[in-house]
Amino acid sequence: MTSEGVEPGTVRPGGRTARVREAVLRAAGDALAEHGFDRLDLADVARRAEVGKTTVYRRWSSPTGLIADLLDDMAEQSSPRTATGSLAEDLRANARLVLKTLTDPRQGALFRSVIAAATCDERTARALHRFYAIRIKEWSGCVTEAVERGELPAGTDPDEVIRAVSAPLYYRLLVSGDPLDASAADRAADAAAAAARAGTYVS
Amino acid sequence: MTSEGVEPGTVRPGGRTARVREAVLRAAGDALAEHGFDRLDLADVARRAEVGKTTVYRRWSSPTGLIADLLDDMAEQSSPRTATGSLAEDLRANARLVLKTLTDPRQGALFRSVIAAATCDERTARALHRFYAIRIKEWSGCVTEAVERGELPAGTDPDEVIRAVSAPLYYRLLVSGDPLDASAADRAADAAAAAARAGTYVS
């Protein structure tokens, strides 16, 4: 959040601080996608963003500070959930969105880098967890509405269902290396819906 | 696999080559668990293993070569699956084993490091995928037997069910940071079983 008060979903105001932040975070994302986090360098980011090195060092102070701010910005900028009126369709839309992000050349590489960075840095891990908590909360309304419609048992934990949709896709990306395609996405959504209907996520 | 021909599940033969490999891989695992992969250094591993630096450089040549061999060794040494006669119990045993590994201080840190290394190195990624393919295959018999017992629909993809048990636990470890505990493990197993019963993994 800058001093200009950027709000989620709004067009960014044109103040200099906001413009600098946008350019620097864009450059940081590019660098992370290209090189991975272990070679993220503030001077390189400043050069890419065409911003003074001193500004970048003063404001973000370290690569991990920069990654944390990038994640906060991604959470603010990310798109709203769907509301199709059907749990199965909403979860498939969620899975397709996750798939699209993870298989996008820039976004996929960026997420891999940030997740790798979080394995060895506490501050990055906290920013990553905050990012996913916001994204999961955004989509959990699909589950709450399905409970209200009687599609799912009362007491179903909405966040757990949304996490269950993402988990198989991240597992393929980071762990098993199995293909990330539309059929994997649909299956992840359908499995979460089936387990939810069976009452597995009632807490 | 060394020239002495180490077989999975057997006691290691006492030849010098095998002893050196065992000491070096143990030291590499310790170093990865302590420092993360970005500071893995062959000279440090040689020192820890009390083995000549030249031997380590000649045999493994690079940190990624060492990580790949470590993963191959872990696949060879890992324990066999359970066969309780019930899908629900077998999957819970699998989930508890994954949980135990990921929450063990040394093993958990080691897996996080190796997964992070795989995000930025192709050779490590291939070794990681090979490791998981072997582990998944080892456990897929639980699903095949459940299909034979009539617990699951014919045509259920066994590997997909086993992957589904692990995925939510790795997602918590690497992505969302939610607690990794017995209830998360049991829920992961129960969700995979429920989705499998509903026919989600029929291919």
Side-chain angles (χ1 to χ4, degrees):
Chain A
M1 193 68 69
T2 70
S3 55
E4 281 82 7
V6 175
E7 289 296 323
T10 62
V11 175
R12 293 178 169 214
R16 185 179 131 69
T17 311
R19 280 202 310 277
V20 165
R21 183 183 182 225
E22 190 171 344
V24 168
L25 295 186
R26 177 91 208 161
D30 290 345
L32 280 167
E34 278 172 40
H35 299 308
F37 81 99
D38 53 332
R39 278 186 290 161
L40 185 66
D41 173 63
L42 295 196
D44 171 51
V45 169
R47 233 178 350 257
R48 287 169 183 258
E50 298 176 11
V51 164
K53 229 162 50 170
T54 318
T55 305
V56 175
Y57 279 101
R58 200 170 44 219
R59 182 139 173 214
W60 287 278
S61 71
S62 68
T64 56
L66 190 50
I67 296 176
D69 195 36
L70 176 63
L71 281 162
D72 288 346
D73 184 65
M74 285 160 64
E76 285 165 22
Q77 301 299 319
S78 58
S79 47
R81 72 169 172 101
T82 58
T84 64
S86 139
L87 177 73
E89 289 312 307
D90 284 348
L91 297 188
R92 281 195 172 204
N94 178 246
R96 292 292 187 111
L97 179 63
V98 172
L99 175 72
K100 193 175 155 220
T101 304
L102 300 185
T103 56
D104 177 85
R106 180 178 186 276
Q107 292 276 92
L110 176 54
F111 273 93
R112 267 200 304 275
S113 289
V114 171
I115 291 167
T119 64
C120 47
D121 178 74
E122 219 9 82
R123 184 174 174 186
T124 307
R126 279 197 305 273
L128 187 74
H129 301 161
R130 208 159 51 230
F131 171 81
Y132 283 102
I134 292 169
R135 291 307 293 152
I136 289 163
K137 202 50 85 189
E138 169 68 29
W139 281 83
S140 66
C142 302
V143 181
T144 316
E145 288 169 9
V147 173
E148 286 162 5
R149 287 192 304 264
E151 277 194 74
L152 291 180
T156 298
D157 180 336
D159 294 2
E160 272 289 83
V161 179
I162 301 303
R163 280 193 282 262
V165 175
S166 282
L169 303 173
Y170 280 88
Y171 184 79
R172 284 166 180 255
L173 178 77
L174 299 165
V175 176
S176 76
D178 296 289
L180 268 171
D181 52 22
S183 108
D186 289 351
R187 185 171 267 184
D190 296 352
R197 281 188 212 106
T200 313
Y201 302 115
V202 173
S203 53
Chain B
M1 189 70 66
T2 70
S3 54
E4 283 81 7
V6 175
E7 290 296 324
T10 62
V11 174
R12 294 181 169 211
R16 185 180 132 68
T17 310
R19 279 200 312 275
V20 164
R21 184 183 181 224
E22 189 171 345
V24 167
L25 295 185
R26 176 91 210 162
D30 290 345
L32 281 166
E34 277 173 41
H35 299 309
F37 82 98
D38 54 332
R39 279 185 290 161
L40 186 67
D41 172 63
L42 295 197
D44 171 49
V45 169
R47 233 179 348 257
R48 286 168 184 259
E50 298 177 9
V51 164
K53 232 164 48 173
T54 320
T55 305
V56 174
Y57 279 101
R58 200 171 45 220
R59 183 140 173 212
W60 287 278
S61 72
S62 68
T64 57
L66 189 51
I67 295 177
D69 195 35
L70 176 63
L71 282 162
D72 288 346
D73 183 64
M74 285 160 64
E76 285 165 21
Q77 300 301 319
S78 59
S79 47
R81 71 168 173 102
T82 58
T84 64
S86 141
L87 177 72
E89 289 311 308
D90 283 349
L91 296 188
R92 282 196 171 203
N94 178 247
R96 292 292 186 112
L97 180 64
V98 172
L99 174 73
K100 195 175 152 218
T101 303
L102 299 185
T103 55
D104 177 84
R106 181 179 185 275
Q107 291 277 92
L110 176 54
F111 273 92
R112 268 200 305 274
S113 289
V114 171
I115 290 166
T119 64
C120 48
D121 179 73
E122 221 8 84
R123 183 173 174 190
T124 306
R126 280 198 305 273
L128 188 73
H129 302 161
R130 208 159 51 230
F131 171 80
Y132 283 102
I134 291 170
R135 290 308 292 152
I136 289 163
K137 203 49 87 189
E138 167 69 28
W139 279 83
S140 66
C142 302
V143 181
T144 316
E145 289 170 8
V147 172
E148 286 161 7
R149 285 191 304 264
E151 278 195 74
L152 291 180
T156 298
D157 180 334
D159 294 3
E160 272 289 83
V161 180
I162 301 303
R163 278 193 283 263
V165 176
S166 281
L169 302 175
Y170 281 88
Y171 183 79
R172 283 166 180 255
L173 179 77
L174 298 165
V175 176
S176 76
D178 295 290
L180 268 171
D181 52 22
S183 107
D186 289 350
R187 185 172 266 183
D190 295 352
R197 280 188 212 106
T200 313
Y201 302 115
V202 173
S203 54

